[in-house]
Amino acid sequence: KYKLVPNQDAQDYVRKLGASLIPPHQRDLPSDDPLKFFFQFYLVEDKDLDIVSFPDGIIVVKSGFFDYLENEAQLAYYMSRAIAVLEESGNWRASRHYMNAGRRVATDAAIGAGFVVGGLLLGPMVGVAITRDGYMDSLTDQADRLALEWMLAAGYDIREAPRAYKAYVLRHPDQTLLSPSRDANQTEKNETCAVRRSFLMAELRANYSQVNYSSLKKDSDQFHAVAQLARQAERGKKMTPATPSL
């Protein structure tokens, strides 16, 4: 389905960044633990502004993502969030494993079949959302909380997490015509970004007011070199030679 960005330095950068964000408790799980994910990270040629998580632990960063990200810390936030989403699905899978048979059948009936979109297993989240009001919102909030926690543990400036949502809106204001035509859902997307940004700002005030930000990482030369390669790839241009900074 995806074509890899044909540059080994860029692939290594995404892989190493992703690996640095995996929480220790996940890395230390034995290989036969049902909650264990064998994470793999790839940079692919795709103009969409998206990171996709698959149930087997593969996380795909699309080249279009670099069109609005401003620095490495913002990328670290989104990759941490993708890891958190898989962690939540793993916790759901484990709880279902230990569920009694009768309850499992009832849950399966509520979920139904066919909630698979683009290779993503949506059934668990959709099914639970049917039976519990607000559960999807709580999953979204928890993914943001974990992303903040894990990017901070990796040494990144967590103030860039809410900034990442603002960067998207600045790149795609409501009145901008998106090629090839206006995106009818752009206003809704921007409203969602505003909600997520407000939530993250509240989290920073409530739980991270004592953080010493002077020692945290915000950006790197490697990020901007890979961003340039990603933009070249999605526009079909020839890759520039690898730079020493990579």
Side-chain angles (χ1 to χ4, degrees):
K1 181 176 180 179
Y2 297 111
K3 180 181 178 182
L4 294 176
V5 170
N7 183 282
Q8 191 58 50
D9 289 328
Q11 296 297 337
D12 289 344
Y13 171 77
V14 169
R15 177 179 55 81
K16 291 177 182 178
L17 177 58
S20 73
L21 297 166
I22 298 172
H25 73 267
Q26 175 62 227
R27 288 198 300 266
D28 295 340
L29 287 175
S31 59
D32 59 348
D33 192 295
L35 292 178
K36 178 75 171 182
F37 281 97
F38 298 93
F39 289 102
Q40 300 177 69
F41 304 90
Y42 299 99
L43 177 62
V44 303
E45 295 183 13
D46 195 309
K47 294 182 179 180
D48 286 346
L49 311 179
D50 198 9
I51 290 182
V52 182
S53 302
F54 290 91
D56 58 359
I58 289 178
I59 292 177
V60 172
V61 181
K62 298 184 178 181
S63 57
F65 218 52
F66 288 90
D67 284 342
Y68 82 92
L69 292 178
E70 298 171 327
N71 54 56
E72 184 171 286
Q74 292 178 8
L75 177 59
Y77 161 71
Y78 280 116
M79 293 185 73
S80 294
R81 199 176 191 286
I83 295 170
V85 168
L86 287 181
E87 275 266 294
E88 290 181 338
S89 70
N91 290 332
W92 182 91
R93 187 173 64 244
S95 66
R96 185 182 179 282
H97 175 76
Y98 295 109
M99 190 185 297
N100 66 59
R103 186 179 175 193
R104 186 158 56 243
V105 169
T107 302
D108 287 344
I111 294 172
F115 286 108
V116 180
V117 179
L120 294 178
L121 179 61
L122 300 182
M125 298 177 70
V126 173
V128 176
I130 292 173
T131 57
R132 292 185 60 185
D133 291 340
Y135 191 79
M136 287 291 287
D137 289 340
S138 69
L139 287 179
T140 300
D141 291 349
Q142 182 63 6
D144 278 342
R145 291 190 189 98
L146 292 175
L148 286 177
E149 179 182 337
W150 296 344
M151 68 180 290
L152 178 61
Y156 285 99
D157 189 334
I158 53 178
R159 295 174 297 183
E160 291 303 308
R163 173 69 189 181
Y165 285 111
K166 184 175 182 180
Y168 174 85
V169 175
L170 291 174
R171 180 72 170 78
H172 297 97
D174 292 349
Q175 68 272 18
T176 298
L177 297 179
L178 301 183
S179 178
S181 62
R182 180 179 175 85
D183 185 344
N185 296 317
Q186 191 59 44
T187 298
E188 181 180 344
K189 291 177 182 178
N190 288 356
E191 289 174 351
T192 299
C193 285
V195 170
R196 299 323 311 163
R197 181 172 180 269
S198 295
F199 176 83
L200 288 168
M201 293 293 291
E203 283 292 304
L204 293 180
R205 289 192 297 268
N207 299 315
Y208 295 96
S209 60
Q210 303 303 315
V211 170
N212 178 12
Y213 289 100
S214 63
S215 62
L216 297 179
K217 185 177 182 180
K218 179 177 177 179
D219 208 0
S220 73
D221 292 337
Q222 292 94 330
F223 168 83
H224 292 283
V226 171
Q228 181 179 0
L229 291 171
R231 286 190 284 268
Q232 289 175 347
E234 71 180 55
R235 291 162 188 163
K237 295 182 179 180
K238 184 178 179 181
M239 297 285 97
T240 56
T243 61
S245 63
L246 290 176

